[in-house]
Amino acid sequence: MTTGIELRDLRKRYEGHGSAGSWAVDGVDMQIGRGQFVTLLGPSGCGKTTTLRMIAGFEVPTSGQILRDGVDITDQPVTDREMRMVFQDFALFPNMTVAENVAFGLKTRRMKGRFGAAEVRRRVGEYLDLVHLGTHADKRPHQLSGGQKQRVSLARALITDPDVVLFDEPLGSLDAHLRKVMQIELIRLHRELNKTFIYVTHDQDEAMAMSDAIAVMNGGKVQQFGTPREIYDRPTSRYVAGFIGHAHIVEATVAESGASGLSVRLGNGEVVRLDAPADLQRGEAVGLMLRAEDLSLAKPGEGELHGQVSDSLYRGEYVEYVVDLKGGAGTVHVHEPTHAAPFAHGADVALKVNPAKAHVVGGA
Amino acid sequence: MLLWLLPPVAWFSVFILVPYAMLFWYSLGHTEDMHFVPGFSLANFARVFTDEPYLGVILKSARIGLTTAILSAIVAWPLAFVIAFHTRSASVKFALYLLVIVPWWASYLVKAYAWKTILGTNGILNATLQGLGFTDEPVRLFLYNEFSVVLTLTYIFTPFAVLSIYAQLERIPTSLIEAAKNLGAGGWEIFWRIVLPISVPGIIAGGIITFSLAFGDFVAPVLVGGSDSVMISNIVINLLGVAFDWPMAAAIGLVIITLGLGLISLTGWLEEKTKVRL
């Protein structure tokens, strides 16, 4: 038996206007261990929210199974699941005070008798303190800022001590600064409370910063499920490589492949060496993933690739150069420290590739 | 410069200020041989509260208005709820909404008259009951009493309650209901603790409209009401058209307007108190 949440070939089809409808979720298999912070990441319409809503019980899967600690909960009503959800629009009850909102989950009929009035009051105080809202208990939701509303919604979700907490783009309606603050807050809560967090977002920075594991989704399918480091450094598909970070993919063919490493040849004949061995055939077409921070510029002749600077952008933390590779082999971006000697627009340059970080993704 | 203000000012003066001033002027006079004699007496106002049947009829009209408002709300709430929450397709939603409004394309008189043909001794209801063998004699209790007046008024004014409750329910985001379910609340709990409280301002707004319309109605009592179900507007019409006692009619009118304003301030305050910001 596995503890945690397991999704088995989960599918959901919405009957659309056409006869066929379309698969919002198209065969998702996933194991989420107890206490993990797992993020479903992808663009809108990729199926991440539908997957989360099926876990919560708001949507009925067309087929497939949801297991919790080995028990099939696919048909369990939402009211019985005791997984709490934090909504993007906060979903605070406007007719109740902050304290009443937070107490709601303790005062439902199914909880009757479990918590006395004094215990409810004590817990509400405790959880409001946990989210730093101790002094706002008697306010109404409309008197709070967006960040405060989301904290109330968090306290309301956590107060019944669920082992699984679901987040549906909870920071989506907050401004950039507040998002950063709340990210740190969520990581702290996850560390302190030791609960399973399943988190949906389209923001890759948010996903990278907070998660133990990320499932990158597209077209109703999980494209890759792994740690943030795996997803970033070793994407398994062009889609994931393009979606995460500032990766540029240059078409290449395998020149040499063995246990010691891998060489690929670009369209212009230049060759790049990679440290990581790969099970690829000589002559196979691949995409060479080059991230801006894994490249550096040098004088012509001092690097394995050559090209011409077509643009440079001062970004404050670094200077971003756009370089057209020789022979029209592709375009890459390069981040250079701001204190380095600048390269002029139109200058011929060489590029050094960090062989430990360069990576190939299969398929043409 | 301020020429654009002329139409509203003219409209306001001619149709609001002047009529009120005239009403007030008439209420202070009296009649001699059915002719108006100007004066400065508050005697007519005193008569509203002392002479039969004025105060009693005002109170009865208020009772009929209140009953109508309550019954309308009871009928309207579930209907508005179904339109707002249990109608997935937008076209069905629009169709239901339209069906609620459509009766307003028919004349009030026709609708009130229709109840006569339903409730009367030779009416549809009695024919059905007799046909099914529930009764041998036609039941006379259905028509020409306060019951039939309230029934007709409720039928006619319920759409106003539906629309104002619907407008309030429509604003409740689905995520609120989902959040409540997610926190373990059952259907009744969601109704009592979330949906109903949030809908209260809509119930009050609909109540003000249905109460005011029913309170001032004079058609239903004439068509389907009995000899004892006269309402205050019928008395005013009689004072104007039969007794030619315009001063008395004006005094009753002003008392009713004052009561109405008081009621609107009270409910307005209640509405503000129960208002939730979604």
Side-chain angles (χ1 to χ4, degrees), chain A residues 341-360:
Chain A
F343 291 86
H345 176 84
D348 286 319
V349 291
L351 293 110
K352 286 189 207 167
V353 180
N354 179 351
K357 298 298 286 291
H359 178 68
V360 292

Side-chain angles (χ1 to χ4, degrees), chain A residues 286-312:
Chain A
V286 292
L288 174 64
M289 182 187 89
L290 296 170
R291 293 196 189 275
E293 68 271 24
D294 301 333
L295 296 170
S296 54
L297 295 183
K299 291 199 196 85
E302 292 177 8
E304 51 265 72
L305 296 178
H306 290 83
Q308 206 172 34
V309 173
S310 72
D311 264 310
S312 71

Side-chain angles (χ1 to χ4, degrees), chain B residues 212-263:
Chain B
S212 312
L213 290 170
F215 178 79
D217 193 78
F218 56 92
V219 175
V222 170
L223 282 180
V224 298
S227 50
D228 63 339
S229 43
V230 170
M231 287 172 71
I232 193 64
S233 296
N234 304 98
I235 299 234
V236 172
I237 288 169
N238 276 330
L239 285 170
L240 286 172
V242 181
F244 290 106
D245 192 349
W246 287 29
M248 193 59 215
I252 294 174
L254 284 173
V255 168
I256 291 175
I257 287 165
T258 312
L259 287 176
L261 287 177
L263 188 82

